[in-house]
Amino acid sequence: TQLLEQSPQFLSIQEGENLTVYCNSSSVFSSLQWYRQEPGEGPVLLVTVVTGGEVKKLKRLTFQFGDARKDSSLHITAAQPGDTGLYLCAGGGNYGQNFVFGPGTRLSVLP
Amino acid sequence: SQTIHQWPATLVQPVGSPLSLECTVEGTSNPNLYWYRQAAGRGLQLLFYSVGIGQISSEVPQNLSASRPQDRQFILSSKKLLLSDSGFYLCAWSLRGLSEQYFGPGTRLTVT
């Protein structure tokens, strides 16, 4: 069974600071997705990374897939209170088999 | 555009009562469908997924069941709820052959 670990588990920062959260596994994934979830709502897909070493940018968010496709990172520049939420990474088979979510990083950006 | 609906939004049920949660998807055909449960502040646990009408795969043994009576309808059921069934239930869909999943708004279930 493929497992995903995320760190840190919790992160509280001031508005304007930069941060990086990590998603790690001992298994190789064909792709990884990042989602953001706000309290009481379903997760929202942010990005999919497919190629080892790939870097994708979404405004102030930068996503990177490790060269060996076992890990990924999410970097946020100049965090804003609107970035607050639970950040989840996920990966696995295309048909649900062995598709797993990490436990998430709960980010709080204080104004 | 595609949309996904879940209802009810919140539900409080006594132990031993039955459960039926419904999920419907609009704007796409032949989607893969998923049911997840999320404990408070934690990641998602995949419960069931379906690649077609009547085709259900269970990831975790439990007292829950799922059915897909129509292409874009996915139902989560239980005959007798347990306290441990409390949680946030999420339905999701994906296109065939792609891994990206799109989630509904969720149902908050409290078993008392």
Side-chain angles (χ1 to χ4, degrees), chain B:
Chain B
S1 62
Q2 300 89 356
T3 55
I4 178 169
H5 305 279
Q6 282 187 247
W7 65 90
T10 60
L11 191 60
V12 180
Q13 293 283 97
V15 169
S17 65
L19 173 73
S20 181
L21 302 180
E22 190 164 343
C23 170
T24 59
V25 180
E26 296 177 357
T28 187
S29 297
N30 303 315
N32 290 339
L33 296 172
Y34 310 84
W35 277 113
Y36 290 88
R37 178 168 60 202
Q38 184 176 32
R42 301 297 302 278
L44 279 63
Q45 179 188 35
L46 179 63
L47 302 175
F48 301 95
Y49 70 93
S50 171
V51 298
I53 295 174
Q55 301 179 63
I56 309 295
S57 295
S58 174
E59 291 289 304
V60 181
Q62 60 221 320
N63 70 323
L64 299 172
S65 62
S67 62
R68 184 171 178 174
Q70 301 180 43
D71 180 48
R72 290 170 289 179
Q73 184 184 29
F74 206 20
I75 297 172
L76 183 69
S77 303
S78 174
K79 292 182 178 179
K80 290 186 177 182
L81 284 168
L82 307 172
L83 285 174
S84 57
D85 291 324
S86 293
F88 192 47
Y89 287 82
L90 290 156
C91 181
W93 70 273
S94 69
L95 292 172
R96 296 289 175 87
L98 298 179
S99 53
E100 292 86 350
Q101 297 186 16
Y102 302 92
F103 287 82
T107 294
R108 173 77 57 195
L109 172 66
T110 303
V111 182
T112 60

Side-chain angles (χ1 to χ4, degrees), chain A residues 13-14 16 20-22 29 32 42 45-46 52 54 61-62 79 83 89 92 106 108:
Chain A
I13 62 172
Q14 293 294 133
T20 302
V21 298
Y22 301 92
F29 285 86
L32 280 178
L45 178 67
L46 296 175
E54 180 178 8
L61 279 60
T62 302
D83 296 325
C89 65
R106 184 163 297 281
S108 178

Side-chain angles (χ1 to χ4, degrees), chain A residues 54-84:
Chain A
E54 180 178 8
V55 176
K56 282 191 174 179
K57 292 190 175 182
L58 183 64
K59 296 183 180 178
R60 293 176 294 100
L61 279 60
T62 302
F63 304 86
Q64 185 163 6
F65 202 11
D67 291 341
R69 292 186 289 130
K70 292 184 178 181
D71 55 85
S72 181
S73 63
L74 160 58
H75 181 81
I76 301 180
T77 303
Q80 300 177 0
D83 296 325
T84 293

